Amino acid sequence: TISSTAEKVVYLVVFHLSFVMFVWSYWKTIFTSPASPSNEFCLSKADKEQYEKEERPESQQEILRRAAKDLPIYTTTASRAIRYCDRCQLIKPDRCHHCSACDICVLKMDHHCPWVNNCVGFSNYKFFLLFLMYSLLYCLFVAATVLQYFIKFWTNELPDTHAKFHVLFLFFVAAMFFISILSLFSYHCWLVGKNRSTIETFRAPTFRNGPDKNGFSLGCSKNLREVFGDEKKYWLLPIFTSLGDGCNFPTRLVIMDPEQLTASSQNEPAKSSGTNQSFPTRPLSESQNRLLASDSQWVESGPEEENVKSGAKKHIIVSLES
C-alpha cells in the first residue's frame, strides 16, 4: 500500500500525465491525415493526355523528364526512370511512395501501421514516435507499480483473494508490451539517427550515382531536428514541428570508391570537368531548408581522410544531385 498522502499525489500525477500524453499522441497518430504531394507534381492536362496515348516506355519517360525538369527531384527508380504513380497520376517526390491500403501517395512514407489504421509518414511520424515513447513509459510505470504485489504473490504474502490473479495478469501484459514496444521504439530511434524510413532501409533510394541508403543523412543532430524541429521545448509534445514541406529534402555528399566513380563518369562523360573531381562538391540545387544554412556541414571528409592509410582506397566526394 502507499504509505503517505504525498506518495499518493505523486502516483496520481505521474499516472494521469503519462496516460494523457499517451492518448494525445495516439490520437494525433490516428487522425492526422497522411500528407500527399502538391499539385505541382501532377502532370498538366496536355502532358497527361499525351502520356496516356504513348505506348512506348521511352516516349512516356521523355514526357515525365520534361515535366520533372523544374521539380526538386533527385531520386529515380532502380532502372533510372522517373518515379511516376499511375494510380495517382503524379510524379513522385523524393521519399514518396504509394500506399495500397490508403490508395494515395504519402510524403516520406515510413509504413502503413495497422495498429493505428493509418499511414505513418511526414505529417505524423513525430506523433508516431511519441506514441511509442509514451506507450513504453506507461507500460514501464504500470509494471513497476505492480511489481511489489507480483513479488508478494510468488512469496505467498498476498492475501488469498481473486485480486492476485488480476495482479499477475496486469504485470505480464505490461511487461510483454514493454518488451515488444521497446524493440520497435529502439528501431525507429535508429532510423531517425540515420534519417531513413522503414522503406528506405529495405530498398535504398537511387540517386544519380546509384543507390545510397545514407543519401538523406545529415548527421545525427540535424537528422533529429528534421523530425522534431528546432524548438526543443516542443519535442515531447504531439504537435507538428517537423522541418521542410515533405516534398524537398536536403541531401548529403557521398564518398564513393574510384571504381564506382569511373563507371558513373563513363555513363555521363559530358558532365566531367576534366579534373580529378567529375562533379561539384556541392549539390547543384541546395534546399532552402535551415538544415543546410551552415557551410560547416560540407566538410565531412576530414575524419575519413585521417583514417585513410597507405594501400587503402582513395575516396572522392561527389554530389548526389542530378
Side-chain angles (χ1 to χ4, degrees):
T1 58
I2 301 177
S3 59
S4 66
T5 304
E7 290 177 341
K8 290 182 180 180
V9 172
V10 172
Y11 175 85
L12 290 174
V13 168
V14 174
F15 175 81
H16 285 94
L17 182 61
S18 59
F19 181 75
V20 167
M21 297 304 294
F22 162 73
V23 172
W24 188 8
S25 302
Y26 188 48
W27 178 275
K28 294 286 288 186
T29 306
I30 294 176
F31 292 103
T32 300
S33 300
S36 299
S38 56
N39 292 332
E40 65 176 328
F41 291 90
C42 298
L43 294 179
S44 64
K45 185 177 181 180
D47 287 339
K48 189 182 298 183
E49 292 177 353
Q50 186 178 0
Y51 179 86
E52 293 174 349
K53 291 179 181 178
E54 292 290 346
E55 297 182 356
R56 294 188 306 150
E58 296 81 5
S59 301
Q60 291 179 333
Q61 277 298 304
E62 183 61 32
I63 296 173
L64 295 180
R65 277 194 291 269
R66 185 172 64 250
K69 180 179 61 175
D70 297 324
L71 295 177
I73 297 176
Y74 306 112
T75 59
T76 63
T77 64
S79 59
R80 305 291 179 161
I82 299 296
R83 300 172 64 244
Y84 180 75
C85 179
D86 292 304
R87 185 75 176 177
C88 299
Q89 296 184 327
L90 54 80
I91 297 173
K92 295 180 182 178
D94 294 340
R95 317 184 80 176
C96 175
H97 299 276
H98 185 86
C99 175
S100 57
C102 298
D103 197 25
I104 58 172
C105 282
V106 179
L107 296 179
K108 195 186 176 183
M109 179 178 175
D110 188 88
H111 68 288
H112 183 87
C113 182
W115 297 102
V116 299
N117 192 31
N118 197 8
C119 263
V120 177
F122 174 76
S123 61
N124 62 350
Y125 188 59
K126 176 190 174 183
F127 307 148
F128 178 73
L129 290 173
L130 293 179
F131 160 64
L132 293 179
M133 185 185 72
Y134 288 121
S135 301
L136 194 67
L137 294 176
Y138 190 60
C139 290
L140 178 63
F141 178 77
V142 172
T145 53
V146 177
L147 180 60
Q148 57 176 324
Y149 303 103
F150 180 76
I151 295 175
K152 289 181 180 180
F153 170 80
W154 287 107
T155 57
N156 295 321
E157 296 179 14
L158 198 66
D160 189 17
T161 62
H162 294 292
K164 64 182 182 181
F165 297 104
H166 299 162
V167 169
L168 185 65
F169 175 78
L170 184 60
F171 179 80
F172 273 113
V173 169
M176 287 187 296
F177 270 98
F178 174 80
I179 294 173
S180 60
I181 295 175
L182 178 62
S183 60
L184 183 60
F185 180 67
S186 301
Y187 174 68
H188 278 279
C189 286
W190 178 79
L191 290 180
V192 171
K194 297 292 184 179
N195 203 343
R196 300 179 200 169
S197 65
T198 300
I199 295 177
E200 292 167 350
T201 302
F202 293 98
R203 185 173 66 250
T206 302
F207 295 85
R208 185 178 62 180
N209 297 310
D212 178 34
K213 59 185 178 181
N214 293 319
F216 293 105
S217 179
L218 305 173
C220 187
S221 176
K222 290 184 174 64
N223 294 342
L224 192 66
R225 287 169 50 202
E226 188 170 304
V227 175
F228 289 94
D230 291 325
E231 299 289 338
K232 293 184 179 180
K233 60 183 178 182
Y234 298 125
W235 281 12
L236 299 181
L237 296 177
I239 57 178
F240 185 80
T241 55
S242 301
L243 300 181
D245 57 3
C247 296
N248 190 11
F249 294 91
T251 60
R252 66 182 290 274
L253 299 180
V254 174
I255 297 177
M256 298 176 60
D257 290 331
E259 292 84 357
Q260 187 176 1
L261 178 64
T262 303
S264 177
S265 300
Q266 291 175 353
N267 294 333
E268 298 180 2
K271 295 184 179 180
S272 175
S273 61
T275 61
N276 291 334
Q277 283 184 292
S278 298
F279 303 103
T281 58
R282 295 193 183 195
L284 300 178
S285 177
E286 292 183 16
S287 169
Q288 297 301 317
N289 194 299
R290 293 190 295 277
L291 295 172
L292 292 184
S294 175
D295 288 334
S296 60
Q297 73 171 76
W298 298 108
V299 186
E300 293 183 356
S301 59
E304 289 162 322
E305 289 178 352
E306 293 175 0
N307 294 331
V308 174
K309 298 180 181 179
S310 59
K313 290 183 178 180
K314 294 182 178 180
H315 295 83
I316 301 175
I317 299 179
V318 298
S319 171
L320 289 173
E321 314 290 359
S322 58

